[in-house]
Amino acid sequence: MPKERPEHQIKIMITQVSDSLYSQLIKTYGENLPSAEPRSLDEIRKQAFERFKRVGFPTVKHEDWKYTNVQPLVNQHYELDVEPSFAAIDLNNAGIPRLDAYRVVLVDGKYHAGLSDDVSDVPGLSIMPIDQAFERLCFAKYFAQFADKTDNPFVALNTAAFTSGLFIEVGKNTQLSKPVHIIHVSAARQPVFNQVRNLYVMSAFAEAEIVESFITDDAAERNLNNLVTEIMVREQAKLQHYYLQTATSQSSYLNHTEIYQEKHSLYNNYNCTFPGPAFVRNNINVRLGDSEVESHLYGITLTAGNQLVDNHTIVDHLKPHCESYEWYKNITQDTSTAVFNGKIFVRTDAQKTNAFQQNNNMLIGEKSAVYTKPQLEIFADDVKCSHGCTIGQFDNDALFYLQARGISEAQARILLVHAFAFDVTSRFANATVREYVEHLVEEGL
Amino acid sequence: MLSIKNLHASVDDKEILKGLNLEVKAGEVHAIMGPNGSGKSTLGNVLAGREAYEVTGGEVLLEGKDLLELSPEDRAREGVFLAFQYPVEIPGVSNINFLKTALNEIRAYKGLPPLEAREFLNRVKEKQKLVEFDAKLANRSLNEGFSGGEKKRNEIFQLAMLEPKLGILDETDSGLDIDALRIVARGVNQLRSQNNAFIVITHYQRLLEYIVPDFVHVLYKGRIVRSGTKELALELEEKGYDWIKDTVDAEGAA
């Protein structure tokens, strides 16, 4: 029996494994973090960088990363900042049929004015590259106020090193008549590690829909995208937020979304991932910061090939009389892996909380895997909370029943997967997006 | 229409059908009766092509075409319809959508264009009436939360919609009260024609009072051991299956 390795040796070993990118980052940014006016941001970056430097990249020994090994990803060589190649970007793969929206295109995180709609004449709507928002009052107020309080080292790295991303502000009482469609394109012709930072502010009584598509340009080299999005939903505001992950195997994503909600606000997230990107880790954290807040998190994940898709969510009930509703469905094919970790906190103050969580998994691939972990931590005593989780396989009796009526096996599978996803897809507020997602499910089978 | 010769089939390596022969002509209704475990449901499932049932010998021809070669969906498209003993509940798949998909796939197989929406809805309305199937049920998820009787009526509603050549009713009478039984039987009787045929699998004679068969066959130990007209069913009802078991086993011993 080999003796257990002492703790410090393990740490040394781990650091060595991910040495290349880590030391590249330390060397590049150690004395030279991105800087711009106002200087107040410099201090935030410096502190964040120290945090990242201290912890480094997570390993599977960290509970939050147990099933999601980032070491192979961060053990490769990347360029840290490349000039975006704006030439010949093909947006066809991000097109949502019949969706009339304000289009915003980010190429490797950088705002592409030529491909984006000019929204300067839309009352109450401001969209701009994030570095143009540094002087804004609400940037100073909300930037790094939420995501950086978590212990995700990728957030710290992002805060320290981001140079691109998007700022959106929907003004007080503004109800957007069209959704904002953000298209994230990975297009760099050399291997790249992008740090993209977004801040969306929904002012009081504002209402909007934000649809975000992720695609890979055909000519792109492999790319690792570290995105952090902070979302402030102010009093009485409503935001419908869609993630449509349709990139290709060249792309991998670390996507951290941190939402803070004020009184009487509504935030709905619809998180959809399809066959394509090699590695996707989503962290979606919602803080219900005041009373009478409502939040819905829906997820539909269809994986194939050797994909890994990990959805970590936190629903944090801080105040009384709030309602949260979470339903995630995973369908795994081939040798792919899906991870779901849903944590609900009900803090001492959060009496009369109503929290629901459900995760259902359908394993189609005999060698596919699902790891699921629902977690409830309740500190208040007058609450209604429920969670449930199922793992199952394809229902062969149902398949035969459909075939016995003349429906082909392929079509029968589509019908059954649609049926499985129905609890989630039927909740989509936007029928056009729903139709598109159902189409992507069919294509992905 | 249907010709079954020396059919052998097993489930989990256990032989259930042991040389079954049956000829069904267009326009005929054949009843298959028999004690529990005689292989009645196996016959229905083998004809429909359920994977767990392995055919180990014999042949089945539908209008001269080798049925056993075909996938379950192609059998359905060729005109075989199995009304299930236990219809499956499929939440999230709407009854109507399911029927539209099925009907159009069968039509595509025959080289026909999809049915126009209006034509389809007219047909739905007409056939719903036939089996007194509630329009509300038609719009619900497939069999989800249906009562036993509603599920069986849905099977006959589907049969009416798809207009198969050969309808196989697998214990459609089980779990039905007398009113539901009458409705189901009336539906089937209205669907009977010179161009189609039915195999009615049942344990009891009761159903055959409403769907009057041209021929009655008794299945026992995987073989048809007696064939006759509807009077055979009455005789069975009177004397019980033990009568068949005893005489057949005695013949076997001799």
Side-chain angles (χ1 to χ4, degrees):
Chain A
M1 281 285 282
K3 272 190 185 164
E4 223 174 271
R5 212 186 277 266
E7 191 67 10
H8 67 277
Q9 277 189 23
I10 292 175
K11 271 188 191 141
I12 290 164
M13 188 186 74
I14 288 161
T15 313
Q16 279 169 348
V17 169
S18 55
D19 193 40
S20 57
L21 186 59
Y22 177 79
S23 48
Q24 188 190 353
L25 287 161
I26 301 300
K27 220 160 79 191
T28 310
Y29 294 122
E31 301 300 322
N32 191 27
L33 286 168
S35 173
E37 297 295 338
R39 296 287 163 214
S40 56
L41 187 57
D42 290 357
E43 190 50 36
I44 296 175
R45 286 188 188 273
K46 221 172 107 189
Q47 284 175 15
F49 190 68
E50 286 308 313
R51 281 204 308 277
F52 171 73
K53 204 167 140 187
R54 217 167 39 237
V55 231
F57 291 117
T59 72
V60 290
K61 297 219 180 291
H62 296 74
E63 185 61 28
D64 275 352
W65 299 88
K66 195 170 171 185
Y67 307 107
T68 304
N69 189 3
V70 297
Q71 293 301 323
L73 269 185
V74 299
N75 203 19
Q76 299 181 35
H77 176 77
Y78 301 95
E79 299 291 326
L80 294 180
D81 199 18
V82 295
E83 276 306 304
S85 56
F86 276 2
I89 296 291
D90 180 6
L91 295 179
N92 273 336
N93 292 334
I96 302 174
R98 290 176 301 283
L99 183 75
D100 184 18
Y102 304 116
R103 186 169 78 182
V104 181
V105 177
L106 300 182
V107 180
D108 290 304
K110 283 150 193 104
Y111 182 79
H112 190 311
L115 289 174
S116 302
D117 289 335
D118 178 10
V119 296
S120 55
D121 60 344
V122 180
L125 176 63
S126 312
I127 299 181
M128 62 192 73
I130 195 153
D131 50 351
Q132 287 176 26
F134 290 169
E135 306 277 3
R136 290 216 162 202
L137 205 62
C138 65
F139 181 88
K141 210 165 150 193
Y142 302 127
F143 175 80
Q145 292 306 300
F146 309 113
D148 288 77
K149 298 214 166 98
T150 66
D151 56 4
N152 182 353
F154 288 101
V155 171
L157 175 62
N158 180 289
T159 304
F162 80 93
T163 50
S164 64
L166 199 65
F167 172 83
I168 300 178
E169 185 180 7
V170 183
K172 200 170 172 180
N173 295 320
T174 302
Q175 293 165 9
L176 293 185
S177 57
K178 294 202 281 186
V180 176
H181 186 197
I182 303 166
I183 303 173
H184 300 267
V185 191
S186 300
R189 267 53 168 177
Q190 60 262 61
V192 63
F193 184 20
N194 289 315
Q195 315 294 330
V196 182
R197 183 62 168 238
N198 307 313
L199 175 64
Y200 308 154
V201 179
M202 297 290 297
S203 308
F205 294 91
E207 286 181 30
E209 264 182 295
I210 296 178
V211 182
E212 304 199 41
S213 295
F214 298 83
I215 61 168
T216 313
D217 192 71
D218 287 341
E221 248 291 354
R222 69 187 156 78
N223 50 79
L224 175 57
N225 303 281
N226 181 22
L227 295 100
V228 175
T229 305
E230 288 175 295
I231 302 175
M232 179 67 193
V233 188
R234 303 216 51 189
E235 203 173 322
Q236 299 276 6
K238 290 181 182 152
L239 178 61
Q240 308 281 347
H241 190 196
Y242 297 84
Y243 281 135
L244 308 173
Q245 179 52 266
T246 60
T248 70
S249 59
Q250 289 290 61
S251 299
S252 295
Y253 294 86
L254 298 146
N255 188 17
H256 187 112
T257 309
E258 194 82 23
I259 303 103
Y260 191 91
Q261 289 185 256
E262 289 188 352
K263 204 172 175 115
H264 287 293
S265 67
L266 171 76
Y267 174 81
N268 288 354
N269 183 289
Y270 309 84
N271 178 15
C272 314
T273 307
F274 298 97
F279 174 104
V280 178
R281 162 66 175 248
N282 287 306
N283 282 77
I284 299 177
N285 301 340
V286 192
R287 314 283 171 190
L288 295 82
D290 207 336
S291 58
E292 312 285 347
V293 165
E294 198 178 325
S295 327
H296 299 238
L297 301 183
Y298 298 108
I300 179 108
T301 302
L302 174 66
T303 55
N306 204 24
Q307 245 183 325
L308 181 139
V309 178
D310 175 352
N311 291 309
H312 264 64
T313 67
I314 293 175
V315 175
D316 191 359
H317 284 268
L318 297 155
K319 296 286 172 189
H321 295 288
C322 293
E323 215 174 295
S324 68
Y325 189 93
E326 176 171 22
W327 204 329
Y328 265 73
K329 300 248 182 180
N330 296 319
I331 304 137
T332 55
Q333 308 178 96
D334 308 324
T335 53
S336 60
T337 303
V339 182
F340 173 77
N341 190 120
K343 208 182 274 186
I344 299 176
F345 290 109
V346 181
R347 311 282 180 185
T348 323
D349 274 357
Q351 299 293 1
K352 305 283 181 197
T353 286
N354 198 346
F356 170 91
Q357 185 196 84
Q358 182 73 230
N359 169 236
N360 306 113
N361 301 282
M362 184 195 259
L363 287 101
I364 294 181
E366 275 178 30
K367 289 182 176 159
S368 67
V370 162
Y371 299 93
T372 173
K373 188 173 164 195
Q375 278 176 285
L376 273 176
E377 286 186 37
I378 304 175
F379 303 97
D381 51 15
D382 184 14
V383 301
K384 214 170 116 188
C385 294
S386 67
H387 67 116
C389 155
T390 63
I391 298 187
Q393 285 167 331
F394 225 78
D395 182 350
N396 283 320
D397 284 339
L399 194 67
F400 177 68
Y401 188 75
L402 297 174
Q403 284 178 276
R405 296 296 175 256
I407 298 173
S408 67
E409 189 183 337
Q411 191 63 38
R413 283 179 184 277
I414 289 172
L415 276 174
L416 290 176
V417 170
H418 271 318
F420 176 74
F422 182 79
D423 299 310
V424 168
T425 50
S426 62
R427 302 309 211 284
F428 280 44
N430 187 316
T432 311
V433 176
R434 173 187 171 170
E435 228 172 274
Y436 175 65
V437 164
E438 285 178 340
H439 166 74
L440 291 175
V441 168
E442 277 178 38
E443 292 227 303
L445 283 172
Chain B
M1 173 177 289
L2 181 75
S3 165
I4 303 176
K5 288 204 177 90
N6 195 26
L7 183 63
H8 290 254
S10 26
V11 184
D12 294 331
D13 290 330
K14 193 176 171 238
E15 191 169 49
I16 310 282
L17 297 183
K18 301 167 182 171
L20 186 139
N21 296 294
L22 183 67
E23 293 286 331
V24 179
K25 294 196 176 66
E28 292 177 349
V29 174
H30 289 244
I32 308 266
M33 301 183 71
N36 289 329
S38 59
K40 298 192 301 288
S41 284
T42 299
L43 176 62
N45 280 300
V46 165
L47 292 179
R50 195 188 278 268
E51 207 179 332
Y53 294 78
E54 196 196 346
V55 176
T56 51
E59 68 168 16
V60 180
L61 301 178
L62 181 76
E63 295 191 322
K65 203 170 256 180
D66 183 356
L67 205 61
L68 301 177
E69 283 277 287
L70 302 176
S71 64
E73 55 265 39
D74 280 350
R75 295 180 195 202
R77 293 161 180 174
E78 288 288 346
V80 175
F81 183 100
L82 172 68
F84 282 58
Q85 184 178 2
Y86 305 107
V88 184
E89 294 193 20
I90 311 184
V93 173
S94 94
N95 230 331
I96 286 295
N97 241 337
F98 152 71
L99 269 174
K100 198 188 281 170
T101 309
L103 195 62
N104 285 334
E105 286 214 29
I106 291 171
R107 288 177 65 89
Y109 183 80
K110 293 176 177 164
L112 297 169
L115 220 50
E116 301 262 339
R118 227 174 87 193
E119 255 178 285
F120 175 76
L121 286 177
N122 284 341
R123 195 198 278 212
V124 167
K125 263 187 216 153
E126 179 201 331
K127 306 297 184 185
Q128 267 171 355
K129 249 185 244 155
L130 195 71
V131 288
E132 300 178 31
F133 192 67
D134 195 330
K136 271 183 230 135
L137 292 179
N139 288 312
R140 286 228 315 249
S141 277
L142 189 46
N143 292 327
E144 190 189 15
F146 285 24
S147 71
E150 286 168 343
K151 282 182 189 168
K152 294 299 175 76
R153 254 189 281 176
N154 195 11
E155 293 295 289
I156 304 305
F157 170 53
Q158 292 170 25
L159 189 145
M161 286 294 295
L162 301 181
E163 297 178 336
K165 284 181 205 149
L166 176 69
I168 305 160
L169 312 187
D170 187 5
E171 306 217 9
T172 299
D173 52 336
S174 70
L176 286 190
D177 62 30
I178 198 75
D179 292 328
L181 189 68
R182 251 188 228 132
I183 293 166
V184 164
R186 198 187 310 141
V188 172
N189 285 331
Q190 289 186 46
L191 294 168
R192 283 172 75 162
S193 80
Q194 281 315 302
N195 304 316
N196 62 21
F198 286 90
I199 295 175
V200 181
I201 295 168
T202 180
H203 190 77
Y204 301 105
Q205 189 267 343
R206 191 179 65 155
L207 176 65
L208 304 180
E209 286 174 18
Y210 299 98
I211 304 175
V212 181
D214 300 299
F215 299 96
V216 174
H217 310 277
V218 182
L219 194 60
Y220 179 55
K221 288 188 173 170
R223 251 181 241 146
I224 289 176
V225 292
R226 290 280 183 284
S227 290
T229 54
K230 60 181 196 258
E231 282 72 28
L232 177 58
L234 290 170
E235 196 177 354
L236 260 180
E237 183 80 357
E238 197 187 311
K239 296 183 176 167
Y241 282 115
D242 284 342
W243 161 64
I244 285 287
K245 286 182 190 171
D246 292 344
T247 49
V248 171
D249 289 343
E251 283 164 19

